[in-house]
Amino acid sequence: MRTLVVLCVGFVLMSAIRCEDWPQWQGVNRDGVWNESGLLEKFLEGGPKILWRKPVHTGYAGPAVTGGKVYVCDFAINTGAIVDPNKRGVLQGDERILCLDEKNGEQLWEYKYACEYTIAYPGGPRATPTVSGGKVYVLGAMGNLTCLDAEKGSLVWKKDFKDDYKVKVPLWGFACHLLVDGSKLISIVGGEGSEVVAFDKDSGKEIWKSLSSVEPGYSSPAITEAGGKRQLLVWSAESLNSLDLETGKPYWTIPIVPANGMAIMAPVRSGDVLYVGARVNQGVGVQLAKDKPDVKELWRADAKSGLFPKTCPPVVDGEYMYGVCENGEMRCVKVATGERLWESFAPVTGAKTGSAAAYIVKNGARFIIFNEKGDLIFATMTPKGYEEISRAHILDATTTVQGRKAIWSHPAFADKKCFARNDSEIVCVDLAAEK
């Protein structure tokens, strides 16, 4: 009995001190929430402790961190140069997946393959790796889907969307953050009948495919439960859709066509309301039915309502969502109605700026924001407004965006640390409270 008590107490203590990983885009539940305690209340003078910095090549893909390892993707350019990021060009190089030791940043393994970029903004892969069940899944900017052994970096299986599904590469490349559900790996692909495809996560064999779209868009799939069913949510460049997770059969569709095919944000949910939005005042709020997989349109966004993210997903907190619109406005919006309560340029660039970016994570009663300037910010955001607690500069902006330098990459948060990258380095920042 005494041994049992000791074991139980030990288990509880280990559970209490176990830190949360960041195994995929937007964290454990893909919702931008980091359930971690024991962190700094505010930054000390001189900023947080930098545990390590390591060189990487160009890339927009944020890191994933789990099991003491950091997984990050980049593009090593061999020939060609990024002249005008707004136009398609031709670059020869290698797309790489790197595995680093979380403790010191030392490289544990590398997997790479030759890749020719013919896309605008050709600064590397867009999608954060997804790590699950001892494997790491990566989608490259030109449609190369790769499954690797997470420990060794050896190839398990691979796909090429261009060859396998005859898909034209989107102007800004493939950008879906891959989703694992049970035995399935789900990705936005594109093409006739294959807008979204579910693969067997262990073999790569196609399980089902569904929907058609003129352009695949740049969004990522999400899962929600309503009407007695788990539903897969997919926003193509033409409509918001719900599918049966096991068969791919559509449940419902709501037309919403963003400008230039820029369906980027994944759907978010507050209560029984879903929302998606995009630049040029495009957005729709729909109410999920309780008795069956169905929806009712509640409201459409306009110049005075809604939220219009570009590269930065909003985060939902209760009835409200907080997110960055296309000109750098951090806004608070009531999801059920689209009512806009306030906006502030302070956490992003400080002024109206085209295609501005700031990545938001909810941590307890506060938010952690990583903006395009490379500043890490602690702040509170409520329906009453934005209040900054503390700010520190951790990384320099390197990507050319509309005549300025910026960072367009999601950070990761794990083990009381922040991991962020630009086009030349990845940094690990200690956020643990002082002992």
Side-chain angles (χ1 to χ4, degrees), residues 177-199:
H177 301 282
L178 301 167
L179 171 64
V180 170
D181 178 60
S183 62
K184 301 180 294 297
L185 177 74
I186 301 170
S187 179
I188 304 297
V189 175
E192 185 65 30
S194 56
E195 168 67 17
V196 57
V197 180
F199 302 93

Side-chain angles (χ1 to χ4, degrees), residues 82-89 119-122 171-172 400-403:
I82 302 173
V83 179
D84 184 348
N86 291 292
K87 297 180 180 179
R88 288 184 185 265
I119 52 177
Y121 278 89
L171 176 60
W172 293 289
T400 299
V401 176
Q402 298 185 12

